[in-house]
Amino acid sequence: MAAVAEGSPAASAQAASAAAAKEAEYRKDVQKLVDLLSKLNPAAKEFVPSSAAATPRKGLSADAPVFYYGPIGGRNGGIAGYPGADAGYIGYQQRMRRNFVDNERRNVYINHGRRRTNERARRADREESIRRTVYVSELDHTVTEERLAEIFANCGQVVDCRICGDPHSVMRFAFIEFSGEEGARAALNLGGTMLGFYPVRVLPSKTAILPVNPKFLPATEDEKEMVIRTVYCTNIDKKVTQLDVKSFFEELCGEVSRLRLLGDNVHSTRIAFVEFVNAEGAIQALNCSGMILGTLPVRVSPSKTPVKPRLNRVVSN
């Protein structure tokens, strides 16, 4: 076969044919790549090998080791990854929970025991006070607490004396407490004694006298003198003002030096402590029981506590 001379028309045609073959093969490869890429899901996330992935800032990697912070060297093991580590941690939690429950239960028992002890002490004091108290009924309205205490003092030392009931009714009654049970037993012999116009009945009491709050009792000689000039007024109409009460007693008894009107919307009536300038005014006020003040008859009795002045509150900045 004869060689094709360089630069001849045949050589040029052969070179052009080879270039066209290469171009066709290149286009065929590109088309295969386009067809392959067209079959992929455009919404799929890019795959990144774990070795090339960056460590996240929040949280640990899935391959990070797990550490156990429980007691080391425990009975069931102390470090995660060794046999019994999970059981040791669960046992530690159970012991802590059991100790907490035991402590709470112990505190409940202690507080309950203290309350029961205090209740027993109060009940014992109340029962002992009842044994030292007598109940006196059928009292004449002219009998005062001072007079009643003076009569029963012959039986023993009188600790307290309270007259209750309507002052204008024979159904008034009283409670007298002695310093000892002997005085209460001796007082039972005074049943049938004439006090005023009626014979009184004396029986063992079933209740104790509610004590007056000690902080309200007179603490000085001046306060004791104030008590002599003070009366306790109850069953006051709720519509009556403090000025009305003062005008009522000043018109009938004398000048009032201090007055305290107490009550709220919960109670149907109000009470008042009225202090007079002179003791004669307080004595005269006792005769005002049953008189109408507003729309109700008031009840007046000697006060056991003075009318203490109100303390001005200090306003802090």
Side-chain angles (χ1 to χ4, degrees), residues 263-312:
D264 50 37
N265 295 329
V266 176
H267 300 87
S268 58
T269 59
R270 308 180 73 179
I271 63 173
F273 292 89
V274 184
E275 179 188 328
F276 293 88
V277 175
N278 301 313
E280 292 76 9
I283 297 174
Q284 185 66 27
L286 298 177
N287 298 324
C288 295
S289 288
M291 293 186 178
I292 301 299
L293 175 57
T295 60
L296 298 175
V298 295
R299 299 170 185 169
V300 185
S301 60
S303 177
K304 293 181 173 63
T305 61
V307 182
K308 296 184 178 181
R310 296 181 184 272
L311 297 177
N312 295 327

Side-chain angles (χ1 to χ4, degrees), residues 141-156:
H141 70 278
T142 60
V143 179
T144 63
E145 289 181 347
E146 291 78 9
R147 175 59 178 162
L148 191 62
E150 180 182 353
I151 294 173
F152 280 85
N154 297 323
C155 304

